[in-house]
Amino acid sequence: MLNRYARAFFTKVFTPVAKLFLSLGISPDIVTIVGTLGVCFGALAFFPRGEFLIGTLVVTAFVFSDTIDGVMARMSGRSGKWGAYLDSTLDRMGDAAIFGGLVLWYAGDGNNVVMAGLALACLILGSVVSYARARAEGLGMTANVGIAERAERLVAVLVSTFLVGLGVPEVLLGVVLALLAFASLITVIQRMWAVRVQALAAVES
């Protein structure tokens, strides 16, 4: 849902940046790769040390590359299967780094097994959410349903880590991680059910 309402807004905001990068000869693929490296650095260099504020700021600074590279590709007429594949694959790496950084903190110096478990659940279930859709499309079906798409998960966890970094009680992040894990599980079930309906309909037709 957030994707539908926010994409048009951020496309307008980042169009001047996309034009600048294209004028400098920078390709959309380079923006995708640099953005992913920045997200991974911010998440894995700071979250495992409990430095949530600076980690969130660094991650946020690079996470918008996911929008900029798409705008650049459309403006340059270079939208295609390779760009979509690269973008989707590296998105998974960035997401894993964010939740993985939280797992490392809470399983280590953060010393909170429950929080570590919730972050790990978000990491695993988030990956399965993406896989469920990709596998369905690979089989010629669709599975673009669900209450916890990538944009929602990222916004929720980054806002929470930012607030905790400012001094808000850590329980906020725990509640958000629990809700994200549950919503991701529901999304997996929704996508599996959607594929099952399509598969049975294909057999009956």
Side-chain angles (χ1 to χ4, degrees), residues 118-177:
L118 290 173
L120 182 59
C122 289
L123 191 161
I124 295 171
L125 290 169
S127 297
V128 178
V129 165
S130 300
Y131 176 81
R133 178 174 177 173
R135 183 57 178 154
E137 293 174 348
L139 293 172
M141 293 178 279
T142 59
N144 56 351
V145 297
I147 61 174
E149 295 187 0
R150 180 175 184 262
E152 284 88 346
R153 298 197 304 270
L154 278 183
V155 169
V157 72
L158 291 177
V159 169
S160 300
T161 53
F162 177 75
L163 293 175
V164 171
L166 288 176
V168 173
E170 200 172 66
V171 66
L172 170 66
L173 180 57
V175 170
V176 169
L177 290 176

Side-chain angles (χ1 to χ4, degrees), residues 36-48 51 54-56 58-59 62:
T36 301
L37 291 175
V39 169
C40 291
F41 171 76
L44 296 177
F46 299 104
F47 284 178
E51 299 178 3
I54 187 171
T56 302
V58 172
V59 169
F62 285 97

Side-chain angles (χ1 to χ4, degrees), residues 3 24-25 45 48 55 62 68 73 77 84 86 88 103 109 130 143 169-171 195:
N3 278 330
L24 294 174
F62 285 97
I68 296 173
L86 179 67
S88 180
V103 172
D109 292 342
S130 300
E170 200 172 66
V171 66
V195 171

